[in-house]
Structures are given as structure tokens and as C-alpha cells.
Amino acid sequence: MKTDIILAGVGGQGILSIAATLGIAALENNWYLKQAETHGMSQRGGAVVSHLRISDKPIASDLVPLGKANVIISVEPMESLRYLDYLSETGYVVTNVKPFVNISDYPEEAKIMEYINNLPNVVAIDADKIANDLNARRSSNIVMLGAAAPFLNVELSVLESGLRQIFGSKGDDVVEMNLKALHAGYNFAMENK
Amino acid sequence: MQKLMLGDEAIAQAAIDAGLSGVYSYPGTPSTEITEYIQASKQAKELRIHSDWAANEKTAMEAALGMAYAGKRSMSCMKHVGLNVAADNFMNAAVTGVNGGMVVVVADDPSMHSSQNEQDSRIYGKFALIPVLEPSNQQEAYDMTYVAFELSEKYKVPVMVRITTRVAHSRAGVTTKDVKPQNEMKLPSDPRQFVLLPAIARKQYKGLLNNQVHFNTESENSSFNQYFEGTDKKMGIIACGLGYNYLREILPEGECKFPVLKVTQYPMPQKQVKQIAAETESLLVIEEGYPMVEELIKGFLEKENVSGRLDGTLPRDGELNADIVGAALGYPTHSGESKVPDFIANRPPSMCPGCSHIDVYTALNEALEAYSPGRVFSDIGCYTLGALPPFNSINSCVDMGASVTMAKGAADAGLVPAVSVIGDSTFTHSGMTGLLDAVNENSPITVIISDNESTSMTGGQDSAALGRLEAICEGLGVDPAHIRVMNPIKKNHEELVAIMKEEFEFDGPSVIIPRRECIQKASRRRKMEAKAKMKS
């Protein structure tokens, strides 16, 4: 197995919680993993991206080559488009639809959504609403992870196990909430992909 | 069982396992997480490993050398431009040599993700005539740091580990080694080893020169430098550090027909370089940073057919990636046509809502309305973002502390008032001595120390200035009547503008300290306090 993932968002949106779950899942299965993160200056409200590569064979480059990503997971709609050149011909864009507007020249939302909806392989999801409906407001990133799950070449149970490890110390309630969020995202993607 | 670690964390864990007694650093992206990992490590705490931040990279490295003088193992970590600050100690530590092992970790930032330049620290290592290790991945970051201490103690010389952003801030599984005990304190056998009086320095320097041949032999025999045979002798590839990964992404080990020399330990292994040059018609050098190796092999007379960053086969600047290396090798990864729509706007970093720097710049812009533009010198930190809209407040950002001294020089040239905007941590790092210059000459500059009680751009480390700024400024000789401290909240806006205007008109050095805790740090602190409360 080999999966290349681009994780996109804005500094402070916590995209690394998605990466951490996948990271733990990879280690549990003795897969190789490389995860290049954005630290430092860009974290102050700038565009941030993480390259995540999982494989059962050793991985050379920390960065995903252009045109090789199986999936772009973006927690912000405009950011999902910034990295399109990394996506493979058959790859999926999984993006949250809620804009994060902290710049004056943010494009028209309708324009962004039109472009997103015209992509050949896309899941556009209101992860914040789904998380809110579950009373799991802080788990919107896990909803995103769930929505990307069908395209990761990873069994859902592997991600469940990753979540149990990450949130285990915070108690069963928190684990359950995140498992629910994961499944809600997954179901949405299966119905809308 | 492997542990998932950043390259920075792998270095930190390796140092702990190699019997480290103290790490001395000043935060700087992408090196910060090395020291933070040791500060957070339970194992390091139990082993009583020193890990407090230093005031700057020079004081840090000097303390590390002091620990190595006393026979224990020390490490000093910094970003590339931090080594400029510590260079005086670095160059001379190569001449004194060490007693306990000493490793200097320098994290370069090609493409300048969070930096002012992309200088290549391997050249500093060569300059100081010491061995340099350049890990290509996180496991090597661990292994090389561990070995660096052994190499340092074998030759009694500091050893450099050079990383770049992609190794520092990328995570991968890492296997660790056995934990070694720390060294006992033991003074150098030669009491004059560290006394660099000319006569002694000349002797010490000869010793360093005599070791060069041994450093080369170490490189030639190092398992970190590998030679891979190839059937197609039209081209040989020398791949250094991270460049090796990008080569292997495009041409994996079994699929590469060209001979390959992987270089991750310097000085360059002479034997293998000669071998690959002799058996191939041309050489391609893939290296992250400056074309150091390429220039070395090509030489002035260009007797070898060498390509790389100098002849444009690879770009002269910026970090490499598999796409760039693929194109240079003739295996393009993509068509080159972009699918990204052109309405995508840039999203540069910005100051956080509620940040005190915002209030300072809002007041500063108003207070300076009466004067011609171009008189605000700033420095390295979050407040550098005052260069961007909507503020457009600052006219310089060069190096740590330069805001104070550049303002002084500009004032000497007749630009009065000249204003410096500097953060609290940057001020104690390198601004204090410049303020002393201004005091000694009664220079008409206004130094605004925008004090957020934190080293924020690198993640909110403690500031060496905390609780000391007024005392420092007074001690340096600033008239207490012209040290103005206030909280830059909205309500105090008019007052802050008035204070600025007053001090701009003062014919001498003055200091304004708008003080409010960093909003990020405050929120982390409140969360911690709430957690502690819950527990109790």
C-alpha cells in the first residue's frame, strides 16, 4: 500500500490532529510514514500545508511529488485549491466548505464553490455543521478525516484504533465523540462522492 | 518499536541517549523543537540535563563549550543565522578543541520559510575545519547525532550536525540506541588547551590542521557515505543530504543505472569523489543549499564536467524537491501546466487578533504622521509583520538587534527622529549593546520595546527580558524619565500616541515599553491554569 496525502488549512486550524491520527495508525501497522509540517512564521494565520506519505515500503522524499497525491484534505475551501497540482489524475479533493476569511482579497465564495463542485473527484462537506449536530464541535477535523477515509487505502478500523490511542487519555466520552465524528464524515463521503 | 519523531526530536533524543549533560540554545525556526523536546523530556529531567534557554546563540555556545571544557557532553542548537551570532565562539572552539564531546546543531532554512537568508552552514563547518554530518532523514538525524558525540570525543573537536527545514520539521519512525551514562566532570589534561594566546593558538591550530587528514579518512570510511555502482557511466551522481532522498524518489536504488555517491559526512570523502569522477564522463551534484560541493569539484579551471546549481541544471536558490530533481535527471514528474485557478489569493502570516503589536503599530503610525516617512527600523519577531498591510509601518528588518543600531546610524546621518521597534526577547538577545552605543553618544533615537513577555514567533518560549527591561535600560544609562512603560490597550491609545510624540522630540535616547502578554501565550497559560485547577 502507498498513500500520499496533502493536508491543507490556515495556521491555527489544527490540521495536525488529522495527521497525528494517521501517523499512529501507520506505526501500529508497521507502515513507513513521512509527514512534513509547517512550523514557524506561517503558523500565524498563514496558509499551512502538511505532506503525509504512508507506505508499506521505505519512503524517500518527505515531500509528495506533483501529480502524485491520492487525496487533498483541506479544512478550508480556498486552501483546497491551492495545492491542486499535487493531486493525481484519479485523486480526490476532500474539503470543508466553511471559509476562513482573514485576508481582504479573499475571493468570492460562490466562485470557489463553483470551481470545487466542478472538480471530477470531490467531497465538499460542512464538517463544522456535522460536528455541531453531533454535539462534537471540536471534532470537525475528525469529521474531515472520516470524509477522506474512503480514499486513503486504510481500513476504517485502523483509523478508529488511532483515535482511541490519541484521545484515550481524555476519557471514553471524548473517544466516543471522535469515533462518531469519524463515522459521520465517512458516511457523508460514501453518499456524496 | 519505532517512535514517530520530527527530525529535530530525533536529534534531541539521540543527544540524551548519547550521554548529554546540557543543551544550550536560543530559539530559532527550524531548530527550536530540539531544545524544547529536551525541556519536555521526563528522561532528561531524571538525568538532570541542563536545557534552559540562553539569551542568544553566542552565550549559548560559549556555555556549551564551558561544559565541554569541564569534560561533560554538551550540545548547542540554533538556526543558520544564529550561527552568525555565535561564529566568534564557533571558529575558536575548533581551535581550542573540546574535552567532553560537543555537538553544534545548525538548522538551515533554504527557501527562507521563516528566515532572512538561506546561507549554507556546511560552509561554516568547512571554514572552521571541523567534521560536518548532514542527515538525509530522521533516522540518520538520530544516528548521526549519536555518532557525532563519539567523533567529537575521539578527536577532541566540536562536530557540526547540519539539517534543513524538511528534515527538522518532518516526522518519521525512528529506532533508538542504548542510553550511555554521562561523563564525570574532568578538567582538560593540558591546562593551556583553552588559552588562545597567540603562541598557544598557533600550536592548537596546527593540531587542528594535522587532524584534517584523519577527518577525511573518517569520511572515506564512514557508513554514512555510500557508493552505489552503476552500469551507465555517462553520468555519475553525487547526492548530498536531503538531495539523496529526492534522487531516490525519482530513481530508487534498484532502478538507477548511474553510479551514485551519497555524501552525508564531510569533509568530502576524497577517495570516493575521485573514483566517481574517474569512472564517469560527467557529474551531477544534487545538494540542498549552496553549490558548495559542486564548486569544490568543478574548481576554477573546470577540469571536470560537473553540473548542478551553478550551471542551471538545478536552480541556484531555494530548496530542492523531487520535482526539481526529476526534471534535472530527465524524469519530469508533471506536465508543467497548473490546475490552480488564478483567483486563489495569497494568505501571508498575520498578527493574531488581540496582539499588542497591533496597538503599538496603530499608535506609531499616528504619532509619525507629522514626519516624513522611512524612519522606522525594526527587527526579527512577530512584529516584523508590521511591514505588511494594513500597517506598512517599518522600513527595515535585517538581523537580531539591528533596529537599535541602524536607527542610531541613521540618526547620525541626520534622520531625526529615528525609531527602533524591537521585541523584548530580541532586545536582550542583541539590542542591549546597541542601546549602550546610543547612550554613550546621546543619540536622538526612540527605542520601542514592544514587550509581549515572550519569544512568540518561535512558539512562546520564555523571554530572558522578563521582568528586567526597565532595570536593563536604566543600567545602560537611559534617563529614567525617558523610560516610558504602559499597557497598549485601546483605552490607552491616545496616551501611547502622546508618549511617542514626546519622546520623538527628545534630543537623546529614549525607551518606550508598551507591555502586554502575548495573546497566544496568555491563552495557553489560562488553559494550563484551568487544567491544574481541575486536577486539584
Side-chain angles (χ1 to χ4, degrees), chain A residues 39-40, chain B residues 6-9 11 27-34 78-81 105-110 113-115 163-169 458:
Chain A
H39 291 214
Chain B
L6 292 175
D8 275 351
E9 295 170 347
I11 287 170
T29 313
S31 71
T32 312
E33 292 82 356
I34 306 171
M78 65 213 69
K79 67 185 294 170
H80 56 336
V81 287
V105 183
V106 192
D108 294 354
D109 189 20
H113 298 282
S114 270
S115 305
I163 54 172
T164 57
T165 308
R166 288 301 160 199
V167 171
H169 287 168
T458 48

Side-chain angles (χ1 to χ4, degrees), chain B residues 32 38 45 67 74 128 136 203 217 224 252 337 368 373 440 474:
Chain B
T32 312
I38 298 175
K45 195 158 278 164
M67 182 168 267
S74 67
S136 68
K203 177 174 156 276
T217 308
F224 297 132
E337 221 167 283
L368 280 172
N440 285 340
E474 236 181 280

